[in-house]
Amino acid sequence: MFSNIGIPGLIIILVLALIIFGPKKLPEIGRAVGQTLNEFKKSAKELTDDAVDEIDQVKKEVKEEKEIVKEIVKK
């Protein structure tokens, strides 16, 4: 997405942001964006961890059912 911007484009964006928001608001905006990205990463990690836990639980249940079926077939 941002691979075509390059250094000159990034400098222009930063200068425009400095002009629009001013030097006092820019650090606050940067901090807010950083916190938002951290929260997003944290939520995404929790979501993937929950999905992996669910998959592991299903695998365990399938393995247990497989053992039960093996016991029934042996009889």
Short mmCIF file of all heavy atoms in Angstrom, two decimals:
data_model
loop_
_atom_site.label_atom_id
_atom_site.label_comp_id
_atom_site.label_asym_id
_atom_site.label_seq_id
_atom_site.Cartn_x
_atom_site.Cartn_y
_atom_site.Cartn_z
N MET A 1 0.82 -1.18 0.00
CA MET A 1 0.00 0.00 0.00
C MET A 1 0.87 1.26 0.00
O MET A 1 0.68 2.16 -0.78
CB MET A 1 -0.91 -0.02 1.22
CG MET A 1 -1.88 1.13 1.27
SD MET A 1 -3.14 0.86 2.50
CE MET A 1 -2.74 2.16 3.63
N PHE A 2 1.83 1.32 0.91
CA PHE A 2 2.69 2.49 1.01
C PHE A 2 4.03 2.29 0.30
O PHE A 2 4.93 3.11 0.43
CB PHE A 2 2.96 2.84 2.48
CG PHE A 2 1.73 3.31 3.19
CD1 PHE A 2 1.13 2.52 4.14
CD2 PHE A 2 1.18 4.54 2.91
CE1 PHE A 2 -0.01 2.95 4.81
CE2 PHE A 2 0.05 4.99 3.56
CZ PHE A 2 -0.55 4.19 4.51
N SER A 3 4.16 1.21 -0.46
CA SER A 3 5.45 0.92 -1.09
C SER A 3 5.78 1.89 -2.21
O SER A 3 6.94 2.05 -2.57
CB SER A 3 5.46 -0.51 -1.61
OG SER A 3 4.45 -0.67 -2.61
N ASN A 4 4.80 2.57 -2.77
CA ASN A 4 5.05 3.48 -3.89
C ASN A 4 5.28 4.92 -3.43
O ASN A 4 5.51 5.79 -4.27
CB ASN A 4 3.88 3.44 -4.87
CG ASN A 4 3.75 2.09 -5.53
OD1 ASN A 4 4.72 1.35 -5.63
ND2 ASN A 4 2.56 1.75 -5.96
N ILE A 5 5.21 5.20 -2.15
CA ILE A 5 5.36 6.58 -1.67
C ILE A 5 6.80 7.03 -1.78
O ILE A 5 7.09 8.06 -2.37
CB ILE A 5 4.87 6.72 -0.22
CG1 ILE A 5 3.35 6.54 -0.18
CG2 ILE A 5 5.24 8.08 0.34
CD1 ILE A 5 2.77 6.59 1.20
N GLY A 6 7.70 6.32 -1.23
CA GLY A 6 9.12 6.68 -1.27
C GLY A 6 9.45 7.78 -0.27
O GLY A 6 8.58 8.31 0.42
N ILE A 7 10.71 8.11 -0.18
CA ILE A 7 11.20 9.11 0.77
C ILE A 7 10.66 10.52 0.46
O ILE A 7 10.18 11.20 1.36
CB ILE A 7 12.74 9.11 0.82
CG1 ILE A 7 13.26 7.75 1.30
CG2 ILE A 7 13.26 10.22 1.72
CD1 ILE A 7 12.85 7.39 2.71
N PRO A 8 10.72 10.98 -0.80
CA PRO A 8 10.20 12.33 -1.07
C PRO A 8 8.71 12.48 -0.73
O PRO A 8 8.29 13.49 -0.17
CB PRO A 8 10.43 12.52 -2.57
CG PRO A 8 11.52 11.57 -2.91
CD PRO A 8 11.35 10.41 -1.99
N GLY A 9 7.93 11.47 -1.05
CA GLY A 9 6.50 11.52 -0.74
C GLY A 9 6.25 11.53 0.75
O GLY A 9 5.36 12.25 1.24
N LEU A 10 7.04 10.76 1.48
CA LEU A 10 6.90 10.73 2.93
C LEU A 10 7.25 12.08 3.55
O LEU A 10 6.57 12.55 4.46
CB LEU A 10 7.80 9.64 3.52
CG LEU A 10 7.65 9.34 4.99
CD1 LEU A 10 6.24 8.88 5.31
CD2 LEU A 10 8.64 8.28 5.42
N ILE A 11 8.28 12.71 3.03
CA ILE A 11 8.68 14.04 3.53
C ILE A 11 7.57 15.05 3.27
O ILE A 11 7.23 15.86 4.14
CB ILE A 11 10.01 14.48 2.89
CG1 ILE A 11 11.15 13.61 3.41
CG2 ILE A 11 10.29 15.95 3.16
CD1 ILE A 11 12.48 13.81 2.72
N ILE A 12 6.97 15.00 2.08
CA ILE A 12 5.87 15.92 1.76
C ILE A 12 4.69 15.71 2.70
O ILE A 12 4.10 16.67 3.20
CB ILE A 12 5.45 15.75 0.28
CG1 ILE A 12 6.56 16.27 -0.63
CG2 ILE A 12 4.14 16.48 0.00
CD1 ILE A 12 6.34 15.96 -2.10
N ILE A 13 4.36 14.45 2.97
CA ILE A 13 3.26 14.14 3.88
C ILE A 13 3.56 14.67 5.28
O ILE A 13 2.70 15.28 5.93
CB ILE A 13 2.98 12.62 3.91
CG1 ILE A 13 2.40 12.19 2.58
CG2 ILE A 13 2.05 12.26 5.06
CD1 ILE A 13 2.28 10.70 2.40
N LEU A 14 4.78 14.48 5.76
CA LEU A 14 5.15 14.96 7.09
C LEU A 14 5.11 16.49 7.18
O LEU A 14 4.66 17.05 8.18
CB LEU A 14 6.52 14.43 7.49
CG LEU A 14 6.59 12.94 7.78
CD1 LEU A 14 8.03 12.50 8.02
CD2 LEU A 14 5.72 12.58 8.96
N VAL A 15 5.57 17.16 6.12
CA VAL A 15 5.54 18.63 6.11
C VAL A 15 4.09 19.12 6.10
O VAL A 15 3.74 20.05 6.84
CB VAL A 15 6.33 19.18 4.90
CG1 VAL A 15 6.08 20.67 4.71
CG2 VAL A 15 7.82 18.91 5.09
N LEU A 16 3.24 18.50 5.30
CA LEU A 16 1.82 18.89 5.28
C LEU A 16 1.17 18.66 6.63
O LEU A 16 0.38 19.50 7.10
CB LEU A 16 1.08 18.12 4.18
CG LEU A 16 1.36 18.54 2.75
CD1 LEU A 16 0.67 17.62 1.76
CD2 LEU A 16 0.91 19.98 2.53
N ALA A 17 1.47 17.53 7.26
CA ALA A 17 0.90 17.26 8.59
C ALA A 17 1.39 18.30 9.59
O ALA A 17 0.61 18.76 10.44
CB ALA A 17 1.30 15.86 9.04
N LEU A 18 2.64 18.70 9.50
CA LEU A 18 3.18 19.72 10.40
C LEU A 18 2.49 21.06 10.18
O LEU A 18 2.15 21.76 11.14
CB LEU A 18 4.69 19.85 10.19
CG LEU A 18 5.45 20.78 11.13
CD1 LEU A 18 5.32 20.28 12.56
CD2 LEU A 18 6.91 20.85 10.74
N ILE A 19 2.24 21.39 8.92
CA ILE A 19 1.56 22.66 8.62
C ILE A 19 0.10 22.62 9.09
O ILE A 19 -0.40 23.58 9.69
CB ILE A 19 1.63 22.95 7.10
CG1 ILE A 19 3.07 23.28 6.71
CG2 ILE A 19 0.69 24.10 6.73
CD1 ILE A 19 3.28 23.34 5.20
N ILE A 20 -0.57 21.51 8.85
CA ILE A 20 -2.00 21.41 9.19
C ILE A 20 -2.21 21.35 10.69
O ILE A 20 -3.06 22.05 11.24
CB ILE A 20 -2.63 20.18 8.49
CG1 ILE A 20 -2.66 20.40 6.98
CG2 ILE A 20 -4.04 19.93 9.02
CD1 ILE A 20 -3.06 19.18 6.19
N PHE A 21 -1.49 20.48 11.37
CA PHE A 21 -1.73 20.25 12.80
C PHE A 21 -0.85 21.08 13.72
O PHE A 21 -1.18 21.27 14.88
CB PHE A 21 -1.56 18.76 13.14
CG PHE A 21 -2.54 17.88 12.42
CD1 PHE A 21 -2.12 17.02 11.43
CD2 PHE A 21 -3.88 17.93 12.74
CE1 PHE A 21 -3.02 16.21 10.77
CE2 PHE A 21 -4.79 17.12 12.08
CZ PHE A 21 -4.36 16.26 11.09
N GLY A 22 0.26 21.54 13.25
CA GLY A 22 1.16 22.34 14.08
C GLY A 22 2.10 21.46 14.89
O GLY A 22 1.86 20.27 15.09
N PRO A 23 3.18 22.07 15.38
CA PRO A 23 4.19 21.28 16.09
C PRO A 23 3.74 20.78 17.46
O PRO A 23 4.29 19.82 17.98
CB PRO A 23 5.36 22.25 16.22
CG PRO A 23 4.76 23.60 16.12
CD PRO A 23 3.57 23.46 15.22
N LYS A 24 2.72 21.40 18.05
CA LYS A 24 2.28 20.96 19.38
C LYS A 24 1.35 19.76 19.31
O LYS A 24 1.35 18.90 20.18
CB LYS A 24 1.60 22.12 20.11
CG LYS A 24 2.57 23.23 20.47
CD LYS A 24 1.89 24.32 21.24
CE LYS A 24 2.91 25.42 21.56
NZ LYS A 24 2.30 26.53 22.27
N LYS A 25 0.53 19.69 18.29
CA LYS A 25 -0.44 18.60 18.15
C LYS A 25 0.17 17.36 17.52
O LYS A 25 -0.32 16.25 17.73
CB LYS A 25 -1.64 19.05 17.31
CG LYS A 25 -2.60 19.92 18.02
CD LYS A 25 -3.40 19.09 18.98
CE LYS A 25 -4.52 19.94 19.57
NZ LYS A 25 -5.26 19.22 20.56
N LEU A 26 1.21 17.51 16.73
CA LEU A 26 1.78 16.38 15.99
C LEU A 26 2.26 15.25 16.90
O LEU A 26 1.94 14.08 16.63
CB LEU A 26 2.90 16.87 15.08
CG LEU A 26 3.12 16.11 13.79
CD1 LEU A 26 1.84 15.95 13.00
CD2 LEU A 26 4.17 16.77 12.95
N PRO A 27 2.97 15.52 18.01
CA PRO A 27 3.36 14.42 18.89
C PRO A 27 2.16 13.70 19.53
O PRO A 27 2.17 12.49 19.69
CB PRO A 27 4.22 15.08 19.96
CG PRO A 27 4.71 16.33 19.33
CD PRO A 27 3.64 16.77 18.39
N GLU A 28 1.11 14.47 19.85
CA GLU A 28 -0.09 13.86 20.42
C GLU A 28 -0.75 12.93 19.41
O GLU A 28 -1.19 11.82 19.76
CB GLU A 28 -1.07 14.95 20.84
CG GLU A 28 -0.59 15.81 21.98
CD GLU A 28 -1.55 16.96 22.27
OE1 GLU A 28 -2.72 16.89 21.83
OE2 GLU A 28 -1.12 17.92 22.93
N ILE A 29 -0.81 13.36 18.16
CA ILE A 29 -1.40 12.54 17.11
C ILE A 29 -0.57 11.28 16.90
O ILE A 29 -1.10 10.18 16.78
CB ILE A 29 -1.54 13.35 15.81
CG1 ILE A 29 -2.56 14.46 16.00
CG2 ILE A 29 -1.94 12.45 14.65
CD1 ILE A 29 -2.61 15.46 14.86
N GLY A 30 0.74 11.43 16.87
CA GLY A 30 1.63 10.28 16.71
C GLY A 30 1.48 9.28 17.84
O GLY A 30 1.44 8.07 17.62
N ARG A 31 1.37 9.79 19.06
CA ARG A 31 1.18 8.93 20.22
C ARG A 31 -0.14 8.17 20.13
O ARG A 31 -0.22 6.97 20.41
CB ARG A 31 1.23 9.78 21.50
CG ARG A 31 1.54 9.01 22.74
CD ARG A 31 1.78 9.93 23.94
NE ARG A 31 2.84 10.91 23.65
CZ ARG A 31 2.67 12.23 23.65
NH1 ARG A 31 1.50 12.76 23.92
NH2 ARG A 31 3.68 13.04 23.39
N ALA A 32 -1.19 8.87 19.73
CA ALA A 32 -2.51 8.24 19.61
C ALA A 32 -2.50 7.16 18.53
O ALA A 32 -3.07 6.08 18.72
CB ALA A 32 -3.56 9.29 19.29
N VAL A 33 -1.83 7.44 17.42
CA VAL A 33 -1.73 6.44 16.35
C VAL A 33 -0.94 5.23 16.84
O VAL A 33 -1.33 4.07 16.59
CB VAL A 33 -1.08 7.05 15.09
CG1 VAL A 33 -0.72 5.97 14.08
CG2 VAL A 33 -2.01 8.08 14.46
N GLY A 34 0.13 5.46 17.57
CA GLY A 34 0.92 4.35 18.11
C GLY A 34 0.13 3.50 19.08
O GLY A 34 0.19 2.26 19.04
N GLN A 35 -0.63 4.13 19.96
CA GLN A 35 -1.45 3.39 20.91
C GLN A 35 -2.52 2.59 20.19
O GLN A 35 -2.82 1.44 20.55
CB GLN A 35 -2.09 4.34 21.92
CG GLN A 35 -1.10 4.92 22.90
CD GLN A 35 -1.73 5.99 23.80
OE1 GLN A 35 -2.83 6.45 23.56
NE2 GLN A 35 -1.00 6.38 24.83
N THR A 36 -3.11 3.17 19.16
CA THR A 36 -4.13 2.47 18.38
C THR A 36 -3.55 1.25 17.70
O THR A 36 -4.15 0.16 17.72
CB THR A 36 -4.75 3.42 17.33
OG1 THR A 36 -5.30 4.56 17.99
CG2 THR A 36 -5.82 2.73 16.52
N LEU A 37 -2.36 1.39 17.11
CA LEU A 37 -1.72 0.24 16.46
C LEU A 37 -1.37 -0.85 17.47
O LEU A 37 -1.54 -2.04 17.19
CB LEU A 37 -0.45 0.69 15.72
CG LEU A 37 -0.68 1.47 14.43
CD1 LEU A 37 0.64 1.96 13.86
CD2 LEU A 37 -1.40 0.61 13.41
N ASN A 38 -0.90 -0.46 18.66
CA ASN A 38 -0.59 -1.45 19.69
C ASN A 38 -1.84 -2.20 20.13
O ASN A 38 -1.81 -3.42 20.32
CB ASN A 38 0.07 -0.78 20.89
CG ASN A 38 1.52 -0.45 20.63
OD1 ASN A 38 2.16 -1.07 19.78
ND2 ASN A 38 2.05 0.52 21.37
N GLU A 39 -2.95 -1.49 20.30
CA GLU A 39 -4.20 -2.14 20.68
C GLU A 39 -4.67 -3.09 19.58
O GLU A 39 -5.17 -4.17 19.86
CB GLU A 39 -5.28 -1.09 20.97
CG GLU A 39 -5.09 -0.38 22.28
CD GLU A 39 -5.22 -1.32 23.47
OE1 GLU A 39 -6.11 -2.21 23.47
OE2 GLU A 39 -4.41 -1.17 24.41
N PHE A 40 -4.52 -2.66 18.33
CA PHE A 40 -4.91 -3.51 17.21
C PHE A 40 -4.08 -4.79 17.18
O PHE A 40 -4.61 -5.89 17.02
CB PHE A 40 -4.76 -2.76 15.89
CG PHE A 40 -5.11 -3.58 14.69
CD1 PHE A 40 -6.43 -3.85 14.37
CD2 PHE A 40 -4.11 -4.11 13.88
CE1 PHE A 40 -6.75 -4.62 13.28
CE2 PHE A 40 -4.42 -4.88 12.79
CZ PHE A 40 -5.74 -5.13 12.47
N LYS A 41 -2.76 -4.65 17.36
CA LYS A 41 -1.88 -5.83 17.38
C LYS A 41 -2.25 -6.76 18.53
O LYS A 41 -2.27 -7.99 18.36
CB LYS A 41 -0.42 -5.40 17.52
CG LYS A 41 0.17 -4.79 16.28
CD LYS A 41 1.62 -4.38 16.53
CE LYS A 41 2.23 -3.67 15.36
NZ LYS A 41 3.62 -3.26 15.62
N LYS A 42 -2.52 -6.18 19.69
CA LYS A 42 -2.88 -6.97 20.87
C LYS A 42 -4.18 -7.74 20.62
O LYS A 42 -4.27 -8.94 20.91
CB LYS A 42 -3.03 -6.05 22.08
CG LYS A 42 -3.38 -6.74 23.36
CD LYS A 42 -3.50 -5.73 24.49
CE LYS A 42 -4.01 -6.38 25.75
NZ LYS A 42 -4.23 -5.41 26.82
N SER A 43 -5.16 -7.07 20.05
CA SER A 43 -6.44 -7.72 19.76
C SER A 43 -6.28 -8.83 18.73
O SER A 43 -6.87 -9.90 18.86
CB SER A 43 -7.46 -6.70 19.26
OG SER A 43 -7.72 -5.74 20.25
N ALA A 44 -5.48 -8.57 17.70
CA ALA A 44 -5.26 -9.58 16.67
C ALA A 44 -4.55 -10.80 17.25
O ALA A 44 -4.89 -11.94 16.92
CB ALA A 44 -4.44 -8.99 15.52
N LYS A 45 -3.58 -10.57 18.14
CA LYS A 45 -2.87 -11.68 18.76
C LYS A 45 -3.81 -12.50 19.65
O LYS A 45 -3.79 -13.73 19.62
CB LYS A 45 -1.69 -11.17 19.58
CG LYS A 45 -0.84 -12.29 20.18
CD LYS A 45 0.36 -11.75 20.90
CE LYS A 45 1.25 -12.79 21.52
NZ LYS A 45 0.82 -14.14 21.62
N GLU A 46 -4.65 -11.82 20.42
CA GLU A 46 -5.61 -12.52 21.27
C GLU A 46 -6.57 -13.35 20.42
O GLU A 46 -6.91 -14.48 20.77
CB GLU A 46 -6.39 -11.53 22.13
CG GLU A 46 -5.57 -10.91 23.24
CD GLU A 46 -6.33 -9.85 24.02
OE1 GLU A 46 -7.50 -9.57 23.67
OE2 GLU A 46 -5.75 -9.29 24.95
N LEU A 47 -7.01 -12.79 19.30
CA LEU A 47 -7.93 -13.50 18.42
C LEU A 47 -7.28 -14.75 17.85
O LEU A 47 -7.89 -15.82 17.85
CB LEU A 47 -8.39 -12.57 17.30
CG LEU A 47 -9.42 -13.13 16.33
CD1 LEU A 47 -10.71 -13.45 17.07
CD2 LEU A 47 -9.68 -12.15 15.22
N THR A 48 -6.04 -14.64 17.39
CA THR A 48 -5.37 -15.81 16.84
C THR A 48 -5.07 -16.83 17.93
O THR A 48 -5.18 -18.04 17.69
CB THR A 48 -4.06 -15.42 16.11
OG1 THR A 48 -3.23 -14.67 16.99
CG2 THR A 48 -4.35 -14.62 14.87
N ASP A 49 -4.72 -16.37 19.12
CA ASP A 49 -4.48 -17.30 20.23
C ASP A 49 -5.76 -18.07 20.58
O ASP A 49 -5.72 -19.28 20.82
CB ASP A 49 -3.96 -16.57 21.46
CG ASP A 49 -2.53 -16.07 21.30
OD1 ASP A 49 -1.85 -16.52 20.35
OD2 ASP A 49 -2.11 -15.24 22.13
N ASP A 50 -6.89 -17.37 20.59
CA ASP A 50 -8.17 -18.02 20.87
C ASP A 50 -8.49 -19.06 19.80
O ASP A 50 -8.96 -20.16 20.11
CB ASP A 50 -9.30 -17.00 20.96
CG ASP A 50 -9.23 -16.15 22.21
OD1 ASP A 50 -8.49 -16.52 23.14
OD2 ASP A 50 -9.93 -15.11 22.26
N ALA A 51 -8.23 -18.71 18.54
CA ALA A 51 -8.50 -19.64 17.45
C ALA A 51 -7.61 -20.88 17.57
O ALA A 51 -8.08 -22.00 17.38
CB ALA A 51 -8.29 -18.96 16.10
N VAL A 52 -6.35 -20.69 17.89
CA VAL A 52 -5.43 -21.82 18.05
C VAL A 52 -5.87 -22.70 19.22
O VAL A 52 -5.86 -23.93 19.12
CB VAL A 52 -3.98 -21.32 18.24
CG1 VAL A 52 -3.06 -22.45 18.68
CG2 VAL A 52 -3.46 -20.70 16.96
N ASP A 53 -6.30 -22.09 20.31
CA ASP A 53 -6.79 -22.86 21.46
C ASP A 53 -8.02 -23.69 21.08
O ASP A 53 -8.15 -24.86 21.48
CB ASP A 53 -7.13 -21.93 22.63
CG ASP A 53 -5.90 -21.31 23.27
OD1 ASP A 53 -4.78 -21.82 23.02
OD2 ASP A 53 -6.07 -20.32 24.01
N GLU A 54 -8.93 -23.10 20.32
CA GLU A 54 -10.13 -23.82 19.89
C GLU A 54 -9.75 -24.99 18.99
O GLU A 54 -10.30 -26.08 19.12
CB GLU A 54 -11.08 -22.88 19.15
CG GLU A 54 -11.83 -21.93 20.05
CD GLU A 54 -12.83 -22.63 20.94
OE1 GLU A 54 -13.48 -23.60 20.50
OE2 GLU A 54 -12.95 -22.20 22.10
N ILE A 55 -8.82 -24.76 18.07
CA ILE A 55 -8.38 -25.84 17.17
C ILE A 55 -7.74 -26.97 17.96
O ILE A 55 -8.01 -28.15 17.70
CB ILE A 55 -7.43 -25.29 16.09
CG1 ILE A 55 -8.20 -24.39 15.13
CG2 ILE A 55 -6.72 -26.42 15.34
CD1 ILE A 55 -7.32 -23.61 14.17
N ASP A 56 -6.90 -26.62 18.93
CA ASP A 56 -6.27 -27.64 19.77
C ASP A 56 -7.31 -28.44 20.55
O ASP A 56 -7.19 -29.66 20.69
CB ASP A 56 -5.26 -27.01 20.72
CG ASP A 56 -4.02 -26.48 20.02
OD1 ASP A 56 -3.79 -26.88 18.86
OD2 ASP A 56 -3.30 -25.67 20.63
N GLN A 57 -8.34 -27.77 21.06
CA GLN A 57 -9.40 -28.43 21.81
C GLN A 57 -10.16 -29.40 20.90
O GLN A 57 -10.46 -30.53 21.30
CB GLN A 57 -10.37 -27.40 22.41
CG GLN A 57 -11.49 -28.00 23.20
CD GLN A 57 -11.00 -28.70 24.47
OE1 GLN A 57 -9.97 -28.36 25.02
NE2 GLN A 57 -11.76 -29.67 24.91
N VAL A 58 -10.45 -28.97 19.68
CA VAL A 58 -11.16 -29.85 18.74
C VAL A 58 -10.30 -31.05 18.38
O VAL A 58 -10.79 -32.18 18.31
CB VAL A 58 -11.58 -29.06 17.47
CG1 VAL A 58 -12.07 -29.99 16.38
CG2 VAL A 58 -12.64 -28.03 17.82
N LYS A 59 -9.00 -30.84 18.18
CA LYS A 59 -8.09 -31.96 17.88
C LYS A 59 -8.08 -32.96 19.02
O LYS A 59 -8.09 -34.17 18.80
CB LYS A 59 -6.67 -31.44 17.63
CG LYS A 59 -6.48 -30.80 16.28
CD LYS A 59 -5.03 -30.35 16.11
CE LYS A 59 -4.79 -29.71 14.78
NZ LYS A 59 -3.40 -29.25 14.63
N LYS A 60 -8.06 -32.45 20.25
CA LYS A 60 -8.06 -33.33 21.41
C LYS A 60 -9.35 -34.14 21.48
O LYS A 60 -9.32 -35.35 21.73
CB LYS A 60 -7.90 -32.48 22.68
CG LYS A 60 -7.86 -33.27 23.95
CD LYS A 60 -7.71 -32.36 25.15
CE LYS A 60 -7.78 -33.16 26.44
NZ LYS A 60 -7.73 -32.30 27.63
N GLU A 61 -10.48 -33.49 21.23
CA GLU A 61 -11.76 -34.19 21.26
C GLU A 61 -11.84 -35.25 20.16
O GLU A 61 -12.35 -36.35 20.39
CB GLU A 61 -12.91 -33.19 21.13
CG GLU A 61 -13.08 -32.30 22.34
CD GLU A 61 -14.11 -31.21 22.14
OE1 GLU A 61 -14.74 -31.17 21.07
OE2 GLU A 61 -14.26 -30.38 23.05
N VAL A 62 -11.33 -34.92 18.97
CA VAL A 62 -11.34 -35.89 17.86
C VAL A 62 -10.46 -37.09 18.21
O VAL A 62 -10.83 -38.24 17.95
CB VAL A 62 -10.88 -35.22 16.55
CG1 VAL A 62 -10.57 -36.25 15.48
CG2 VAL A 62 -11.91 -34.22 16.08
N LYS A 63 -9.32 -36.82 18.83
CA LYS A 63 -8.42 -37.92 19.22
C LYS A 63 -9.10 -38.82 20.25
O LYS A 63 -9.02 -40.05 20.15
CB LYS A 63 -7.13 -37.35 19.79
CG LYS A 63 -6.09 -38.38 20.09
CD LYS A 63 -4.81 -37.74 20.58
CE LYS A 63 -3.76 -38.78 20.90
NZ LYS A 63 -2.50 -38.18 21.38
N GLU A 64 -9.79 -38.22 21.22
CA GLU A 64 -10.50 -39.01 22.23
C GLU A 64 -11.61 -39.85 21.59
O GLU A 64 -11.77 -41.03 21.92
CB GLU A 64 -11.08 -38.09 23.30
CG GLU A 64 -10.03 -37.45 24.18
CD GLU A 64 -10.61 -36.38 25.11
OE1 GLU A 64 -11.82 -36.08 25.01
OE2 GLU A 64 -9.84 -35.83 25.91
N GLU A 65 -12.37 -39.26 20.66
CA GLU A 65 -13.43 -40.00 19.98
C GLU A 65 -12.85 -41.13 19.13
O GLU A 65 -13.43 -42.21 19.05
CB GLU A 65 -14.26 -39.04 19.10
CG GLU A 65 -15.07 -38.04 19.87
CD GLU A 65 -16.14 -38.67 20.73
OE1 GLU A 65 -16.74 -39.68 20.32
OE2 GLU A 65 -16.37 -38.15 21.83
N LYS A 66 -11.70 -40.87 18.53
CA LYS A 66 -11.04 -41.89 17.72
C LYS A 66 -10.65 -43.08 18.58
O LYS A 66 -10.82 -44.24 18.18
CB LYS A 66 -9.81 -41.28 17.05
CG LYS A 66 -9.13 -42.15 16.05
CD LYS A 66 -7.98 -41.41 15.39
CE LYS A 66 -7.23 -42.27 14.43
NZ LYS A 66 -6.09 -41.57 13.82
N GLU A 67 -10.14 -42.80 19.77
CA GLU A 67 -9.78 -43.89 20.70
C GLU A 67 -11.02 -44.68 21.12
O GLU A 67 -10.97 -45.92 21.23
CB GLU A 67 -9.08 -43.33 21.92
CG GLU A 67 -7.70 -42.73 21.64
CD GLU A 67 -6.72 -43.75 21.11
OE1 GLU A 67 -6.72 -44.91 21.57
OE2 GLU A 67 -5.96 -43.38 20.20
N ILE A 68 -12.12 -44.00 21.36
CA ILE A 68 -13.37 -44.67 21.73
C ILE A 68 -13.84 -45.59 20.61
O ILE A 68 -14.23 -46.73 20.84
CB ILE A 68 -14.46 -43.64 22.11
CG1 ILE A 68 -14.08 -42.92 23.41
CG2 ILE A 68 -15.83 -44.31 22.22
CD1 ILE A 68 -14.98 -41.76 23.76
N VAL A 69 -13.76 -45.10 19.38
CA VAL A 69 -14.17 -45.91 18.23
C VAL A 69 -13.26 -47.12 18.09
O VAL A 69 -13.73 -48.23 17.82
CB VAL A 69 -14.17 -45.05 16.94
CG1 VAL A 69 -14.34 -45.92 15.70
CG2 VAL A 69 -15.27 -43.99 17.00
N LYS A 70 -11.97 -46.95 18.29
CA LYS A 70 -11.04 -48.08 18.23
C LYS A 70 -11.38 -49.15 19.27
O LYS A 70 -11.34 -50.34 18.99
CB LYS A 70 -9.60 -47.61 18.42
CG LYS A 70 -8.98 -46.97 17.23
CD LYS A 70 -7.53 -46.60 17.50
CE LYS A 70 -6.88 -45.95 16.32
NZ LYS A 70 -5.48 -45.57 16.59
N GLU A 71 -11.75 -48.72 20.47
CA GLU A 71 -12.12 -49.65 21.54
C GLU A 71 -13.39 -50.41 21.17
O GLU A 71 -13.50 -51.62 21.42
CB GLU A 71 -12.32 -48.89 22.85
CG GLU A 71 -11.05 -48.38 23.48
CD GLU A 71 -10.10 -49.49 23.89
OE1 GLU A 71 -10.58 -50.54 24.42
OE2 GLU A 71 -8.89 -49.32 23.69
N ILE A 72 -14.35 -49.71 20.57
CA ILE A 72 -15.61 -50.34 20.18
C ILE A 72 -15.36 -51.35 19.07
O ILE A 72 -15.91 -52.47 19.08
CB ILE A 72 -16.63 -49.29 19.73
CG1 ILE A 72 -17.06 -48.44 20.94
CG2 ILE A 72 -17.84 -49.94 19.07
CD1 ILE A 72 -17.95 -47.27 20.61
N VAL A 73 -14.51 -51.01 18.10
CA VAL A 73 -14.22 -51.91 16.99
C VAL A 73 -13.50 -53.16 17.46
O VAL A 73 -13.73 -54.25 16.95
CB VAL A 73 -13.39 -51.17 15.90
CG1 VAL A 73 -12.86 -52.12 14.84
CG2 VAL A 73 -14.23 -50.08 15.25
N LYS A 74 -12.63 -53.04 18.47
CA LYS A 74 -11.90 -54.19 18.99
C LYS A 74 -12.83 -55.21 19.63
O LYS A 74 -12.55 -56.40 19.62
CB LYS A 74 -10.85 -53.75 20.00
CG LYS A 74 -9.64 -53.10 19.38
CD LYS A 74 -8.63 -52.73 20.45
CE LYS A 74 -7.41 -52.06 19.84
NZ LYS A 74 -6.42 -51.69 20.86
N LYS A 75 -13.93 -54.76 20.19
CA LYS A 75 -14.87 -55.67 20.86
C LYS A 75 -15.70 -56.37 19.87
O LYS A 75 -15.92 -57.15 19.27
CB LYS A 75 -15.79 -54.89 21.79
CG LYS A 75 -15.05 -54.29 22.94
CD LYS A 75 -16.01 -53.53 23.82
CE LYS A 75 -15.25 -52.92 24.98
NZ LYS A 75 -16.08 -52.18 25.88
#
